[in-house]
Amino acid sequence: MSRLNYKIISHVMGLLLLCNGCFMLIATIISFIYQDGVTLEIMMASLATLFVGIAMMFLTREHQKELNKREGYIVVTFGWIFMSLSGTLPYIFSGAIPSFTNAFFETMSGYTTTGASILNEIEIIPKGVLFWRSLTHWIGGMGIIVLAVAILPLLGIGGMQLFAAEAPGPSADKLHPRITDTAKRLWLIYFGYTAAETILLKLAGMNFFDAINHALSTLSTGGFSTKNASVAYWNDQPLIQYIIMLFMFLAGMNFVLSYFGFKGKIQKIIKDEEFKLYSFFVISFTIIATLVIYFKADVSISSIDHPMVWGEAESAFRHALFQVLATITTTGFVTADFTMWTPFLTIFFFGLMFLGGSAGSTSGGMKVVRHLITIRNGVLEFKRTLHPRAVLPVRYNTRAVSKEIVFNILAFFILYMLSFIIGSVVLGSLGLDFETAIGGAASSLGNVGPAFGKLSPVNNFDVLPAVGKWWCCFLMLIGRLELFTVLILLTPFFWRNR
């Protein structure tokens, strides 16, 4: 095993900070337009980030332009950490979140598209800071590393290793043979969806600032809102909520399928087995939730101020569909405190936290394709028991899945559940009750956002002790990067030079 090329690692870190600083300049412009009083502070945060990024790139300009797999894992993991560290500066400099622990939690929650927040009064935060908060979602949604992949060739660096580490799931679909062109196409679709949702939300009655912030959060499946009540603020405007639902569904799909759709290859979408199971989950779980809400729950009590406006049946359906989509896609918006509906639905939504959206989407969680392959492998095990000599491969989209991928998925499930158990035990050891501990661990690891107990939709993560917030940050990071990318860095053999 070759020695690590620390110069190229530092060089890419500098590039990521440079990108982060440029995004902060956009927040500076928003702050200036709305005259929120913190324009200078956000600009200082941007300049500080740009300075460090440029300095790192300049000091490591003489480097071997070759990135191997080990270095790719380091760049992705530490890139996320560096981005989160620099991303705290607008909060701290503006005084919106003076505590470093709270600022880091909010930033990590942003970049990992978790949507968990420590802010109690969101609506008094300066608009430039709120926009930066939503922008961290958007950057993290598609992955700042994928963005860097499109830029690295300009420096003469291949980006395949970065893309593999950033998207380590079982999907190997490529839109174009060159990975940089793949990244560019993904970002174009991502940007187009964001612009479309912004326009539709504006036409539906949102002001422009709220529209663009919620579009940034929706397409990234993040969940940060500009309102204390989240999307429940618009419970008297169902059209707004239906628009957000549409884009939550699209964001939870594999973005490759969106590309096929724009190319007119509808059959590829219809025949995709993951898409069919994803759609089946959304439809069937929505029907179950709708019936329970309609017959058993009082939505008017739990919908945070606003009455039902289009009749009880429509309201039950809308709240059910919205919360099912928000949980499966790990977006984390809320139209009601679903923990107040019924005990059955509390357990129901807890289970949905472990689903996740499609591979190749911006969703967190386990991903639908992993569930599909695991179920099929389990069914085949019964057949193998009866017919031990038969060759029975697991198939996905008519193709046989290699044993290596099946073993990887099974290992992922074991590691995911082990991480959830350990995460819950640690939170419980900090004095949290059972419901809060398991909800916080599941929500952080799955990048969902709102949880249960003291972390329910009407509360937030500010109730956690400082150690608990740092622990949840770790769970968010390993969940966003799908466990192996981060946890492999904790193994001693990863760092051995041979």
Side-chain angles (χ1 to χ4, degrees):
M1 195 178 288
S2 60
R3 289 183 176 275
L4 288 170
N5 184 351
Y6 288 104
K7 278 194 173 182
I8 193 174
I9 292 171
S10 300
H11 196 77
V12 176
M13 292 296 151
L15 175 63
L16 294 178
L17 291 178
L18 191 64
C19 292
N20 218 25
C22 290
F23 279 114
M24 286 182 199
L25 285 177
I26 301 175
T28 304
I29 295 170
I30 296 296
S31 176
F32 176 76
I33 291 173
Y34 285 97
Q35 294 293 303
D36 61 4
V38 294
T39 306
L40 180 61
E41 288 80 358
I42 300 176
M43 180 178 287
M44 288 172 58
S46 173
L47 294 176
T49 305
L50 288 169
F51 175 79
V52 175
I54 292 170
M56 288 179 70
M57 292 186 71
F58 178 77
L59 294 173
T60 57
R61 63 191 184 280
E62 300 294 334
H63 59 268
Q64 292 181 348
K65 296 181 178 180
E66 183 179 348
L67 197 69
N68 63 35
K69 199 168 186 179
R70 280 205 305 164
E71 289 150 1
Y73 285 125
I74 293 172
V75 164
V76 171
T77 301
F78 283 93
W80 226 271
I81 294 171
F82 270 58
M83 294 287 284
S84 297
L85 287 170
S86 62
T88 63
L89 297 181
Y91 296 121
I92 295 172
F93 285 12
S94 67
I97 308 178
S99 163
F100 175 70
T101 293
N102 284 348
F104 186 83
F105 181 95
E106 199 77 9
T107 311
M108 180 62 79
S109 179
Y111 283 119
T112 58
T113 71
T114 304
S117 181
I118 51 81
L119 293 174
N120 293 302
E121 291 294 335
I122 295 169
E123 293 171 33
I124 66 171
I125 301 295
K127 282 185 164 56
V129 176
L130 280 181
F131 183 80
W132 169 246
R133 182 171 174 259
S134 300
L135 199 56
T136 58
H137 267 343
W138 197 76
I139 298 167
M142 184 59 69
I144 188 63
I145 308 303
V146 178
L147 176 63
V149 164
I151 298 171
L152 286 175
L154 301 176
L155 308 176
I157 302 170
M160 186 61 207
Q161 294 85 352
L162 285 180
F163 191 85
E166 162 63 14
S171 176
D173 288 316
K174 298 288 189 294
L175 309 187
H176 194 276
R178 292 183 59 193
I179 196 68
T180 53
D181 290 320
T182 295
K184 290 172 185 176
R185 282 162 172 76
L186 291 174
W187 270 96
L188 184 61
I189 294 169
Y190 191 54
F191 181 84
Y193 277 157
T194 307
E197 186 183 357
T198 301
I199 293 168
L200 289 174
L201 288 176
K202 180 69 173 67
L203 293 174
M206 269 194 187
N207 63 54
F208 178 75
F209 182 77
D210 288 336
I212 191 170
N213 275 274
H214 284 83
L216 292 172
S217 291
T218 304
L219 267 301
S220 61
T221 63
F224 281 157
S225 175
T226 54
K227 303 299 181 182
N228 292 329
S230 187
V231 182
Y233 182 87
W234 291 278
N235 274 353
D236 57 348
Q237 295 174 271
L239 180 58
I240 286 176
Q241 296 180 348
Y242 281 114
I243 291 170
I244 292 174
M245 283 185 249
L246 169 64
F247 285 95
M248 279 197 290
F249 182 82
L250 292 173
M253 284 173 51
N254 189 330
F255 271 70
V256 174
L257 296 184
S258 289
Y259 177 79
F260 290 149
F262 290 124
K263 296 288 286 186
K265 300 178 181 178
I266 306 300
Q267 284 298 318
K268 283 201 171 188
I269 301 175
I270 296 172
K271 292 180 179 179
D272 185 80
E273 293 179 348
E274 183 183 33
F275 174 74
K276 287 191 285 188
L277 185 59
Y278 169 61
S279 302
F280 173 77
F281 280 159
V282 171
I283 293 169
S284 57
F285 293 143
T286 298
I287 292 171
I288 294 170
T290 300
L291 292 173
V292 176
I293 292 171
Y294 185 76
F295 289 107
K296 296 289 185 180
D298 186 352
V299 176
S300 63
I301 294 176
S302 58
S303 58
I304 318 174
D305 296 335
H306 296 291
M308 296 175 286
V309 292
W310 286 0
E312 291 186 10
E314 183 280 330
S315 184
F317 168 75
R318 173 161 43 92
H319 284 293
L321 178 59
F322 193 99
Q323 291 309 147
V324 165
L325 277 170
T327 308
I328 288 179
T329 64
T330 71
T331 305
F333 284 140
V334 293
T335 59
D337 183 1
F338 54 84
T339 65
M340 295 288 290
W341 285 342
T342 67
F344 169 78
L345 285 179
T346 299
I347 298 171
F348 178 80
F349 283 108
F350 176 73
L352 293 189
M353 285 186 173
F354 293 88
L355 279 182
S358 305
S361 72
T362 58
S363 298
M366 290 188 178
K367 304 294 190 298
V368 172
V369 68
R370 286 195 177 98
H371 291 282
L372 177 61
I373 292 174
T374 302
I375 292 168
R376 286 190 172 171
N377 184 63
V379 172
L380 286 176
E381 281 300 320
F382 289 110
K383 293 183 179 180
R384 292 179 188 127
T385 302
L386 292 174
H387 308 285
R389 294 184 180 180
V391 178
L392 300 169
V394 178
R395 293 190 177 277
Y396 173 67
N397 283 343
T398 71
R399 292 179 295 181
V401 179
S402 69
K403 287 185 178 180
E404 289 75 15
I405 291 179
V406 175
F407 291 156
N408 177 279
I409 289 173
L410 294 175
F412 179 87
F413 267 100
I414 294 170
L415 198 56
Y416 193 96
M417 295 310 298
L418 187 62
S419 299
F420 163 67
I421 293 168
I422 295 173
S424 301
V425 169
V426 171
L427 290 177
S429 70
L430 298 175
L432 300 177
D433 61 86
F434 177 76
E435 190 177 4
T436 303
I438 64 169
S443 173
S444 299
L445 190 61
N447 306 129
V448 178
F452 305 95
K454 296 178 181 177
L455 306 177
S456 71
V458 295
N459 299 305
N460 63 31
F461 282 66
D462 193 39
V463 300
L464 293 178
V467 175
K469 291 171 184 173
W470 284 101
W471 179 247
C472 285
C473 286
F474 174 71
L475 294 177
M476 291 178 207
L477 182 64
I478 65 173
R480 176 61 181 85
L481 299 181
E482 304 204 351
L483 305 182
F484 294 111
T485 304
V486 180
L487 296 181
I488 196 173
L489 269 61
L490 304 180
T491 60
F493 57 81
F494 178 88
W495 300 98
R496 290 179 191 149
N497 293 316
R498 292 189 295 177

